[in-house]
């Protein structure tokens, strides 16, 4: 059976893509963020995962407000991105893993999650930026990919408790996949930030750090909050922490936190990074 080697959670702020494109990783504004990644790069080089399952939220490139699935899974042989208007260069296409995609879809539906199946799918910066930060300077990506998209844009959103159960179901699906592949689960988004309204620029460092610590010590801590409470504590877009919860839930209960980094601000966003290894 397949092995889940670990999980990585990271922010996906579009400005980071511009920094990469302009080689600004050593710039004083960006350096504290990018300095958090070498430890993760070393871990990936040692563990050598074959597949990256990416849990992220689409920002209008593939889904828009007229059609917004709660949970969607890519089942394409290849995924491409496109210009979102941020001035970030389009990256080489990402190879899919169709066998895992269909196994995941069938397993999730068997666990009573209603999945939108995407046999064609564009992936936006929430998918491409983590790939570029985790495997920098690659002409070709060293892993096959499976995109798992979660609605954090159009209400009603799935609750934190529902997302935890969704992550557990992903973990069960991966462990039952008849393959010798090594899988890393990646969750992207957040942390606290609000881009509009009266609280534009809002960041809650104390809550962010409590949330990150809880993923190691009390992983279901955030599921005690409603989405309205999470938005109050993290900002409108801070609800993207749901992807972090899903990723943690997919791992074993005894997964170990090996590394973390937290930096503010990156474009009015609290940026976080965590690495967990499965037993």
């Amino acid at each position: 059976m397949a092995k889940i080697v670990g999980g990585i959670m990271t922010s996906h702020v579009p400005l980071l893509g511009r920094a990469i494109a302009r080689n600004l990783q050593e710039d004083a504004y960006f350096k504290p963020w990018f300095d958090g990644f070498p430890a993760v790069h070393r871990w990936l080089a040692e563990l050598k995962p074959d597949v990256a399952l990416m849990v992220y939220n689409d920002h209008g490139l593939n889904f828009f407000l007229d059609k917004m699935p709660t949970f969607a899974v890519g089942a394409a042989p290849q995924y491409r991105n496109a210009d979102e208007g941020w001035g970030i260069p389009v990256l080489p296409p990402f190879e899919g893993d169709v066998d895992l995609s269909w196994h995941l879809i069938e397993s999730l539906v068997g666990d009573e999650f209603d999945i939108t199946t995407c046999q064609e799918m564009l992936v936006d910066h929430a998918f491409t930026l983590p790939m570029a930060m985790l495997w920098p300077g690659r002409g070709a990506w060293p892993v096959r990919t499976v995109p798992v998209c979660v609605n954090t844009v159009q209400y009603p959103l799935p609750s934190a408790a529902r997302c935890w159960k969704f992550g557990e179901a992903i973990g069960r699906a991966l462990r039952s996949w008849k393959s010798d592949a090594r899988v890393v689960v990646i969750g992207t988004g957040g942390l606290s930030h609000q881009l509009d309204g009266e609280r534009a620029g809002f960041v809650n460092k104390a809550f962010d750090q409590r949330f990150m610590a809880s993923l190691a010590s009390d992983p279901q801590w955030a599921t005690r909050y409603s989405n309205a409470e999470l938005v109050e504590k993290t900002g409108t877009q801070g609800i993207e922490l749901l992807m972090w919860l899903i990723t943690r839930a997919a791992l074993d209960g005894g997964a170990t936190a090996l590394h973390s980094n937290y930096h503010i601000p990156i474009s009015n966003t609290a940026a976080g990074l965590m690495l967990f290894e499965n037993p």
Side-chain angles (χ1 to χ4, degrees), residues 12-156:
H12 60 225
V13 187
L15 184 62
L16 294 169
R18 188 171 296 178
I20 293 171
R22 298 180 179 179
N23 294 314
L24 298 177
Q25 293 91 331
E26 295 297 316
D27 182 87
Y29 185 80
F30 296 104
K31 182 174 170 56
W33 170 249
F34 286 102
D35 280 352
F37 279 85
V40 183
H41 296 159
R42 290 191 293 270
W43 183 85
L44 288 168
E46 179 181 351
L47 274 292
K48 294 182 173 61
D50 304 294
V51 183
L53 185 148
M54 182 80 72
V55 185
Y56 72 107
N57 60 307
D58 183 82
H59 297 76
L61 184 64
N62 195 74
F63 302 115
F64 198 61
L65 302 183
D66 59 337
K67 299 179 183 67
M68 184 64 68
T70 301
F71 301 115
V73 176
Q78 190 179 81
Y79 304 97
R80 294 180 178 272
N81 69 311
D83 182 13
E84 300 173 57
W86 295 104
I88 303 171
V90 173
L91 296 174
F94 303 87
E95 181 185 355
D97 192 311
V98 176
D99 184 62
L100 174 55
S101 289
W102 282 109
H103 172 78
L104 178 65
I105 291 162
E106 291 171 0
S107 182
L108 289 173
V109 171
D111 267 338
E112 301 186 344
F113 284 93
D114 300 319
I115 302 301
T116 298
T117 301
C118 304
Q119 297 187 64
E120 294 182 1
M121 195 173 189
L122 290 172
V123 290
D124 74 2
H125 69 271
F127 181 102
T128 63
L129 277 181
M131 292 292 293
M133 291 186 292
L134 294 172
W135 289 280
R138 295 279 184 168
W141 306 105
V143 290
R144 304 185 299 278
T145 59
V146 174
V148 177
C149 190
V150 180
N151 173 29
T152 63
V153 176
Q154 174 89 317
Y155 280 76

Side-chain angles (χ1 to χ4, degrees), residues 4 103-104 107-113 115 162-176 246 249-250:
I4 305 172
H103 172 78
L104 178 65
S107 182
L108 289 173
V109 171
D111 267 338
E112 301 186 344
F113 284 93
I115 302 301
R162 180 65 169 163
C163 286
W164 180 269
K165 293 176 182 177
F166 184 60
E168 289 180 319
I170 289 173
R172 287 192 293 272
L174 293 176
R175 294 180 188 92
S176 66
I246 292 169

Side-chain angles (χ1 to χ4, degrees), residues 5-7 9 43 215-216 248 251 255-257 274-278:
V5 296
M9 300 83 153
W43 183 85
L215 293 176
R248 181 62 185 88
L251 306 179
T256 303
M274 290 194 79
L275 168 64
F276 282 85
E277 183 171 286
N278 253 359

Side-chain angles (χ1 to χ4, degrees), residues 260-277:
S260 67
N261 185 37
Y262 182 82
H263 179 58
I264 51 177
I266 293 290
S267 185
N268 292 329
T269 301
L273 170 68
M274 290 194 79
L275 168 64
F276 282 85
E277 183 171 286

